[in-house]
Amino acid sequence: MCDLTLADGNLILSPLSPDDVRAHLAGEDDLLVRWLNGGPDTQAGTVRYIHHCMEQWAIDGPLRAFGIRAGAEQALAGTIDLRFEMPGLTAGHVNVAYGLYSAWRGRGLATRAVLLVCRYAAAEGADQAVIQVVPDNTGSAAVAPRAGFTYVEQAPGTDGDRFDRYVRDLPAPDCAGDLRPKPQAPASAGPTRVRAGLVVLVGPPASGKSSFVQALIARGHIDEDAVVSSDEIRAELYGTSPAEANTDAADARIFMERDRRIAARLAGGQTAVAESTNVTPQARTHLIAIARRFNAPVTMLRFTPDIGTLLEQHAGRCRADITTADVHAFAADMARHAGAGQLRSEGAHAVHDVPGRRQGATPAEAAARFSFT
């Protein structure tokens, strides 16, 4: 069972559990049936749905369903869920759906819950949140602008109904400032400690990985030989033959050499920093297997700039081998397959997000927030 909680004062969001079945059935009314559930729930159906939600949490699936819990006793006041994949949803976007029981409506709880899940979705790599509301559902529609969403269009749903569609970029400030980047811990808290072992950088092209490791080297946190970069190996082996460098045979040779260098450092008890995109589970699983051969801990550092920042940084790199479409594709893979929970489930001992332009941090400032032992 996932023990994640999101909190805003006395409002708590946590994954649904079998203990919520009775409260949900007691709270359901005609409005929830009409606008959210599509039909009256039964005890057996609710149990099946909650078990499905729990399974989705266990596998880091595209559905993340929360109970909205309010008041001193943290009573179940409604539900809110995120879907990172669904028909008609663009990669990197997340759909938000919510419903409150009648006793809890009119208190602003839905707006606060939406703001909490948007912050969570942004941390999981989503760059835009979407709310889709049947036009007659005025109560739910009113939540969207209060949570900083903008109406964009009316569009047909998969069942033939028409929905008003609202969107907001993530993260983005709203009138209450709820989604502004969180202040960094004071300097007295000290930098985040990274244990000696395998350090896997996870991020799309142009997300700032190379600038970050160069800043680490400049500050003396790691030595230059610790960084094992597939791009640098490609340049070493094929610098004078760019056409030859972009073949399957070349990729096989490059990654074989990368693995050899990583293994050599881990065998000597030294840190190895794997600098490549690593946005897919397959790429990370291979690296984790190498670390396990040497009983080396694995730390994953996530780079999560929004797509606008990625494209701007990509334009400034003049990389002919990486296209804008490639950047979009890698960013989509990052959003789908590189959430913090997913990385831990694969075997990472620690997962940390590296701050960047979105948090107002330069590469040097980001490097100063980590120490390597």
Side-chain angles (χ1 to χ4, degrees):
M1 176 66 189
C2 177
D3 59 359
L4 172 71
T5 59
L6 310 176
D8 174 12
N10 63 356
L11 179 71
I12 301 293
L13 306 185
S14 62
L16 291 167
S17 79
D19 294 338
D20 294 321
V21 171
R22 181 177 298 179
H24 173 72
L25 292 173
E28 185 180 62
D29 64 354
D30 290 344
L31 288 179
L32 276 182
V33 170
R34 180 182 180 188
W35 301 125
L36 190 65
N37 298 342
D41 282 330
T42 64
Q43 180 163 339
T46 302
V47 169
R48 284 195 300 271
Y49 174 71
I50 288 178
H51 278 289
H52 172 65
C53 294
M54 293 169 65
E55 290 171 357
Q56 288 286 289
W57 281 108
I59 65 172
D60 206 19
L63 170 64
R64 317 287 170 85
F66 296 88
I68 302 173
R69 310 178 195 280
E73 297 182 356
Q74 293 300 292
L76 186 69
T79 63
I80 185 166
D81 69 54
L82 299 173
R83 292 184 185 269
F84 290 86
E85 295 178 13
M86 60 185 293
L89 196 66
T90 303
H93 295 185
V94 59
N95 188 80
V96 184
Y98 44 87
L100 292 174
Y101 309 136
S102 59
W104 297 95
R105 294 177 190 140
R107 307 187 189 189
L109 299 181
T111 302
R112 292 165 64 191
V114 169
L115 291 171
L116 281 173
V117 295
C118 282
R119 184 179 298 129
Y120 167 79
E124 288 294 295
D127 54 47
Q128 189 174 88
V130 179
I131 291 176
Q132 302 181 86
V133 183
V134 175
D136 291 344
N137 189 357
T138 56
S140 288
V143 171
R146 288 201 296 265
F149 286 70
T150 301
Y151 173 80
V152 291
E153 62 182 350
Q154 189 175 102
T158 56
D159 56 3
D161 290 335
R162 299 194 69 82
F163 290 87
D164 286 338
R165 184 180 177 92
Y166 299 81
V167 303
R168 70 169 297 166
D169 292 335
L170 300 177
D174 55 66
C175 58
D178 285 283
L179 287 186
R180 288 177 182 153
K182 297 178 182 178
Q184 299 297 322
S188 59
T192 298
R193 178 174 172 265
V194 178
R195 296 169 60 191
L198 177 63
V199 179
V200 180
L201 307 187
V202 183
S207 57
K209 300 184 298 296
S210 297
S211 298
F212 174 71
V213 295
Q214 290 304 314
L216 290 176
I217 293 169
R219 295 182 67 88
H221 289 340
I222 59 175
D223 59 78
E224 191 170 1
D225 291 339
V227 181
V228 184
S229 165
S230 56
D231 282 345
E232 290 186 4
I233 294 172
R234 189 181 302 273
E236 289 176 22
L237 299 179
Y238 301 100
T240 59
S241 305
E244 187 182 356
N246 294 301
T247 65
D248 290 343
D251 284 344
R253 184 183 176 195
I254 289 162
F255 285 101
M256 184 179 297
E257 175 61 17
R258 181 201 66 172
D259 294 351
R260 186 194 67 77
R261 296 183 188 186
I262 289 174
R265 289 192 63 86
L266 297 181
Q270 299 172 298
T271 289
V273 179
E275 187 196 344
S276 46
T277 57
N278 300 315
V279 295
T280 64
Q282 295 88 341
R284 297 187 297 266
T285 298
H286 181 74
L287 291 168
I288 291 170
I290 296 174
R292 285 175 175 163
R293 284 165 45 198
F294 303 99
N295 294 317
V298 178
T299 300
M300 297 199 184
L301 301 182
R302 298 172 71 243
F303 295 75
T304 60
D306 59 80
I307 190 64
T309 301
L310 272 177
L311 294 175
E312 184 179 342
Q313 293 179 168
H314 169 65
R317 296 201 313 163
C318 300
R319 285 281 300 268
D321 58 322
I322 300 290
T323 67
T324 298
D326 292 332
V327 174
H328 276 283
F330 277 102
D333 282 338
M334 178 82 181
R336 285 194 297 264
H337 304 302
Q342 170 76 26
L343 302 185
R344 292 189 184 94
S345 72
E346 292 171 0
H349 295 83
V351 179
H352 306 293
D353 285 351
V354 178
R357 286 173 55 183
R358 192 167 72 180
Q359 293 80 21
T362 66
E365 290 168 338
R369 296 173 188 174
F370 294 87
S371 68
F372 289 73
T373 58

